[in-house]
Amino acid sequence: MTYIAKPKFHHPGLKKNELGYTHRDYEGKISTLCAGCGHDSITASIIEACYELSIEPHRVAKISGIGCSSKTPDYFLGNSHGFNSVHGRMPSVLTGANLANRDLIYLGVSGDGDSASIGFGQFAHSIRRGVNMTYIVENNGVYGLTKGQFSATADRGSKSKKGVTNTDNAIDLVAIALQLGATFVARSFSGDKTQLVPLIAAAIRHKGASFIDVISPCIAFNNHAGSTKSFDYVREHNDAVNRLDVLVGRDPISVDYAPGAVQVVEQHDGSKIALRKIDADYDPHDRLGAMTFLQKHAAKGQIVTGLLYVDPDAEDLHEHLDTVETPLNRLEADDLCPGSAVLDKINASLR
Amino acid sequence: MSDKKPISSVNDFVVRFANVNGSGSASANELFARAILRHGVPVSPRNIFPSNIQGLPTWYEVRVTEAGHLGARGGVDMMVAMNPQTWDKDVAGIEPGGYLFYDSTKPMPSTKFRGDITVIGVPLTAIANSTYTDPRQRQLFKNIIYLGALAALLDMDPKVIEQLIGEQYKGKEKLLSSNVHALHLGRDWALQNLKCPIGLRVKKADKVGDRIFIEGNSAAALGAVYGGATVCAWYPITPSSSVAEAFTSHCKKYRHDAATGKAKYAIVQGEDELASIGIVIGASWNGARAFTATSGPGISLMTEFIGLSYFAEIPAVIMNIQRAGPSTGMPTRTQQCDIIACAYASHGDTKHVLLFPEDPAEAFEFAAAAFDLAERLQTTIFLMLDLDIGMNHRLCRPLKWDDARQYDRGKVMTAEMLEEGRDFGRYLDVDGDGIPYRTYPGTHPTKGSYFTRGTSRDRYARYSEEGTVYADNMQRLVRKFETAQDLVPRPLQANAERPTKYGVIYFGSTAPAMDEAIGLLEARGHQLDRLRIRAFPFHSSVASFLAEHDFVYVVEQNRDSQLRQLIVNENGIDPVRLVPIVHYDGSPITARFIAKAIGDHQDHLKVTPLRKAVS
């Protein structure tokens, strides 16, 4: 949460996207997070992804809960409406917002305290409902705002800054998202912008529940020896299954057509995800395979990153509910009220 | 042999059915109530059911009341005792001179009866078993057989019941004819073997008029449809579930796009109450009309979000169908016990708007109005029903709607208004009424966006922990609540025939019992002016009413006289002048109870005025 706004002037030579927006148009206020916080890198990646997709910033609704991660929507897309709700309950607020207006893009930003503890239920249920959203967990395994307590994603055996060993098992949100039917599941590392930016872009383009777990080291409380969420640890144990570029309809941003190594996935809206496969055997369309792959690597102490699963034909909550195309918030009395003649008939049936 | 003269009464008595849950009696019992209504005689039925699913006791009570008293009366003139498990209590509950109707297939020892009542045995099981072979049919038609026998005993017109059965099973000829057959099995047996009619009789009258017969929850749900609710998020809880179920049913009938068949609504059964109110708040923040329905325990879970709605100023509508608390309390029993919990829900300084409908007609009107109020005031509006209104059929005036009515979407700044250069500060009090303007997400590329948060912020929605900024905001919220006083339904006052220094305040489902009690009190020589409160914040006329009377009784259905507490708190009045009259055993309050409690107190006042006694 900050009250320091960035100056509005900028260099006239800044590069513009196809809508004529510069990077600055996707920025927000100045971050008040600790210098070097992984969350700021994620903010930068969100800005980059939205810029590259040429999204109209005001057409995004950014919703969060409470905590360090949930402060970050203030730091990107300054012309968007934001909503800092209550601890862990971002998913329900986002679900409601999405029901009201299906035409906006919904970015849900949450933390591991938010999503794996107090909001674990809401996380799970928003995923299983197929809410059309990009749900990003900025996962540092620690409660930063309250100064260093373990969160539910902290690995068993990892140590706190005070040297306490965590004896509880960790919740793997990616595994849960896969199990609950998320139709776009990815994991990345805040320090790997090359991987993260296209993942966010693809998640935004995906119609359905997109979930990205981003390991984001807490520079103040969880970036020490013994932590399994530190910069060093993640760099050493990161196993990327793929990297991807997003090709948007008529005007691709970038393409890597390395023969035999690219798998193009067409999404509902016509955009394409080009997977640059690292592991020749990895199939991102196989939910069961993804779950097994994830568990096998976790057992080896490896953090699998990349796009783990995508269903290009996913349906979202509005399709499940078969709602009208017009956003519900635009319907007025003429659309909604059955009128007095119908009421007279109802009255007659109640005598 | 009765040693008490049997009760003799036409169109004014109470019949109670004691059944086993799951025996299929509910539709037969409701048919009985509707049949009397079709005779032109008002009825006031009530479900009395413990919190269980199947096999345990349930009761259905029908007050037949040509005078049109719609509150519970108390006492039972005729018990239809179909549950051996509750036999002793049921028999004991019959008024002296009353009637006991039972299944006489198996002989009962004489000790199981009372000498001061008339016992009527009909071999229901034997009749059913001799006619039907299927066990379920035997059970279901036994209920219709007793309905037929009652029709003969109470002198009801069988054609009226046949017509109702015809409407119920329209297009299902087999079911229609078999139900009519069962009805006549019972009626014929009674006519041939019993002295018909008995002292209790139904005589055709013309006292119903154009009134309708509907449950409060269904009416409230219909109010949500007419009021333009498009998003409903809910979590099942007794006694509120039927609101969401009725809303679903109404939407399926009236809310589909004619061209595409698609739904102009979204209904989500949340994973819990927290998610339900979260969805409501998210949808309302984004400009849709949204509501949830719940009961006391749900309100407890929602309070954090309710505080957010208050402080961040997001519309929300919560229909609270109250039941007996605290905690799980008595889930299927009625009370008005969430007044304080809802008025001041959440931590910190909060105040919320409460609406108190008296019957289904007002439940419909207030439900529709709640969405206008929520958007106008940008806050949570509670529709405070209770089980007695919500889950029972009530006779009420027909529902009305003005087709010229447009929804009040409140102060919403559009892209055009922003383009005009109007200063947008999300929490600016532009009009002096405490209500700021808002914008919907996605309104304008560069103007009007803001950050919604539950933390303190300035008039332009910028985060701030400055004490003066915080206090400024809190004072504006007080102004907004004062504005609400003139927007919510006003209290209704009715004065006694003669000037009096005594008054009575009541609200919600107490109204019909109160109306009846006034007559009983007048008969005892007590004159009281009445004020029915219909909303919180209290209109200034409440303070005037208090000032005009030496003593004011506050009648309510909870232990701690919560409305009285709220009146004292909000008006700074001497509590001694407000006399609590409370009823909280989970049954609906009756006129008899009110008249006795107030009458006894009035009698006492005549001997020693309370003020003198206290001083």
Side-chain angles (χ1 to χ4, degrees), chain A residues 1-6 22-50 57 60 62-84 107 109 138 145 216, chain B residues 449-453 455 462-463 465:
Chain A
M1 227 76 50
T2 184
Y3 40 87
I4 308 168
K6 285 181 184 171
T22 69
H23 260 93
R24 296 300 302 276
D25 296 312
Y26 293 89
E27 292 175 357
K29 295 190 175 74
I30 292 172
S31 171
T32 58
L33 297 174
C34 308
C37 178
H39 295 0
D40 283 336
S41 303
I42 300 170
T43 293
S45 294
I46 292 171
I47 290 168
E48 183 71 25
C50 292
V60 176
K62 45 187 187 179
I63 299 165
S64 60
I66 296 288
C68 291
S69 61
S70 293
K71 289 159 73 134
T72 63
D74 219 7
Y75 313 145
F76 59 82
L77 302 178
N79 283 322
S80 298
H81 278 61
F83 195 149
N84 216 182
L107 271 182
V109 179
E138 303 188 348
L145 275 183
S216 173
Chain B
S449 69
Y450 67 94
F451 214 93
T452 301
R453 47 166 65 90
T455 37
R462 296 172 300 212
Y463 174 72
E465 290 185 19

Side-chain angles (χ1 to χ4, degrees), chain B residues 534-554:
Chain B
R534 301 199 296 169
F536 174 70
F538 301 123
H539 186 259
S540 56
S541 55
V542 175
S544 304
F545 187 82
L546 295 169
E548 289 161 7
H549 296 89
D550 286 354
F551 291 98
V552 174
Y553 299 96
V554 184

Side-chain angles (χ1 to χ4, degrees), chain A residues 43-123:
Chain A
T43 293
S45 294
I46 292 171
I47 290 168
E48 183 71 25
C50 292
Y51 169 82
E52 288 186 2
L53 289 177
S54 290
I55 285 170
E56 292 178 282
H58 73 292
R59 303 296 297 169
V60 176
K62 45 187 187 179
I63 299 165
S64 60
I66 296 288
C68 291
S69 61
S70 293
K71 289 159 73 134
T72 63
D74 219 7
Y75 313 145
F76 59 82
L77 302 178
N79 283 322
S80 298
H81 278 61
F83 195 149
N84 216 182
S85 59
V86 294
H87 199 200
R89 267 55 66 75
M90 172 276 283
S92 64
V93 175
L94 189 152
T95 301
N98 184 294
L99 289 174
N101 185 356
R102 61 191 299 170
D103 280 357
L104 299 183
I105 293 165
Y106 293 91
L107 271 182
V109 179
S110 182
D112 40 299
D114 239 27
S115 286
S117 289
I118 187 168
F120 193 49
Q122 295 221 339
F123 153 73

